[in-house]
Amino acid sequence: MKGKVALVTGGTGGIGTEICKALANGGCKVAATWLKGVDDGDGWLAKLKAEGFDFVIVEGDVSKFDSAAAIVKEVEAKLGPVDILVNGAGITKDGFFHKMKWEQWEAVLRTNLDSVFNTTRQVIEGMRQRGYGRIINISSVNGQKGQAGQANYSASKAGMHGFTMALAQEAASKGITVNTISPGYVATSMVMAIKEEVRNELIKQIPAGRLAKPEEIAWTVAFLADDRSAFITGANIAINGGMYMG
Ligand code: CAA
């Protein structure tokens, strides 16, 4: 993957940051997206610079098609055509379905699933023309098994893998692989936001007995982005400490 251009949506988040680092360590030029009012892009960039990483950050809302188009345009102007796209932007708005508001459903579907269309659509034609591409969608164990309190999130994450399987078939002959990674519960602010007693019950359901480390997810992204993974496409790689084996 040396010299390849990678775009990581949600790149300033808990898992996203480690993905950016792993791709940079593999020799990629890496751009991360961040969203004003939600993330601290400049603070993140400065922190990572102090650690020796030279990333590009682009502000924008991948849940909106025009914003995603502007993001990709800016990345391409700064780094060149996108070779590796990691769809990592995601949110939760948990609640039992009988109490769920349309806004909770809509926000999660827009950010987690529409964003996959919005960003991938910007890069797919160029990847086809150049005969190379890696698209990696960060889904969730809860897209595979479902989770009480997450009808919106589980639907969005299951939808991501449906997208992966369809596009993998369309793009395979053009040197493009499309894969899903389904992390279990990872030690990030998203999981730490779950009420402590609920979280402890969830951890009891993980045979490994602990949360995943973000770098354990990033490692698999780098593996899929590697040139030697060219024959892996349409896969859904579970990284959940044994929580679910579907
Ligand atoms: N299945 C069925 N019923 C359940 C249940 C479950 N798993 N858990 C709780 N209930 C019941 C309770 O027994 C209770 O019943 P009564 O009203 O009859 O007493 C009722 O549901 C209400 O439970 P809570 O007090 O927990 O309800 P709440 O409104 O305070 O909280 C919730 C609801 C926000 C959904 C909370 O249960 C929760 O946070 N659950 C965890 C959801 C989760 O796993 N989120 C993952 C976030 S991280 C992530 O998404 C990353 C990733 O990819 C893994």
Side-chain angles (χ1 to χ4, degrees):
M1 66 180 106
K2 209 166 164 41
K4 296 278 192 319
V5 173
L7 170 58
V8 183
T9 74
T12 62
I15 297 177
T17 300
E18 292 303 323
I19 293 173
C20 290
K21 289 187 194 178
L23 293 173
N25 288 337
C28 292
K29 294 183 268 179
V30 180
T33 71
W34 68 286
L35 185 58
K36 212 177 273 175
V38 177
D39 314 304
D40 171 19
D42 295 329
W44 181 86
L45 192 63
K47 183 173 173 290
L48 273 293
K49 203 167 181 74
E51 290 180 31
F53 292 97
D54 191 16
F55 295 136
V56 163
I57 52 167
V58 182
E59 200 279 330
D61 185 350
V62 288
S63 74
K64 300 196 168 70
F65 187 76
D66 291 346
S67 182
I71 287 168
V72 172
K73 219 170 163 192
E74 192 176 331
V75 172
E76 294 192 335
K78 288 183 171 153
L79 297 178
V82 174
D83 302 301
I84 299 164
L85 172 65
V86 182
N87 286 309
I91 58 168
T92 55
K93 289 205 180 287
D94 292 355
F96 287 111
F97 187 68
H98 59 277
K99 296 183 197 157
M100 189 173 284
K101 297 194 167 61
W102 164 250
E103 289 73 23
Q104 281 170 281
W105 174 267
E106 189 189 26
V108 169
L109 269 290
R110 295 274 171 275
T111 300
N112 298 6
L113 187 57
D114 287 10
S115 63
V116 174
F117 175 87
N118 295 341
T119 53
T120 310
R121 187 65 187 83
Q122 316 298 333
V123 301
I124 192 71
E125 288 179 69
M127 286 179 174
R128 289 174 68 92
Q129 280 156 18
R130 295 188 301 279
Y132 182 89
R134 293 280 185 273
I135 296 164
I136 300 163
N137 295 320
I138 309 299
S139 178
S140 165
V141 66
N142 292 342
Q144 298 181 290
K145 70 170 185 55
Q147 170 62 43
Q150 287 201 306
N152 50 1
Y153 186 87
S154 300
S156 71
K157 293 299 187 179
M160 286 176 98
H161 188 56
F163 172 90
T164 289
M165 293 187 289
L167 187 58
Q169 292 177 38
E170 292 183 18
S173 66
K174 302 289 181 191
I176 302 166
T177 69
V178 190
N179 290 290
T180 299
I181 292 176
S182 289
Y185 286 76
V186 185
T188 62
S189 55
M190 185 184 273
V191 167
M192 297 322 277
I194 305 170
K195 279 191 292 189
E196 194 179 358
E197 62 269 26
V198 176
R199 193 171 64 241
N200 289 339
E201 284 307 311
L202 288 164
I203 293 172
K204 281 188 200 153
Q205 296 168 30
I206 305 171
R210 64 169 176 88
L211 299 173
K213 299 175 196 155
E215 53 268 36
E216 290 173 318
I217 313 307
W219 159 252
T220 309
V221 173
F223 164 76
L224 288 173
D226 195 281
D227 284 348
R228 288 166 290 187
S229 298
F231 213 59
I232 305 172
T233 197
N236 188 356
I237 300 183
I239 314 175
N240 61 37
M243 190 183 208
Y244 178 76
M245 303 166 195

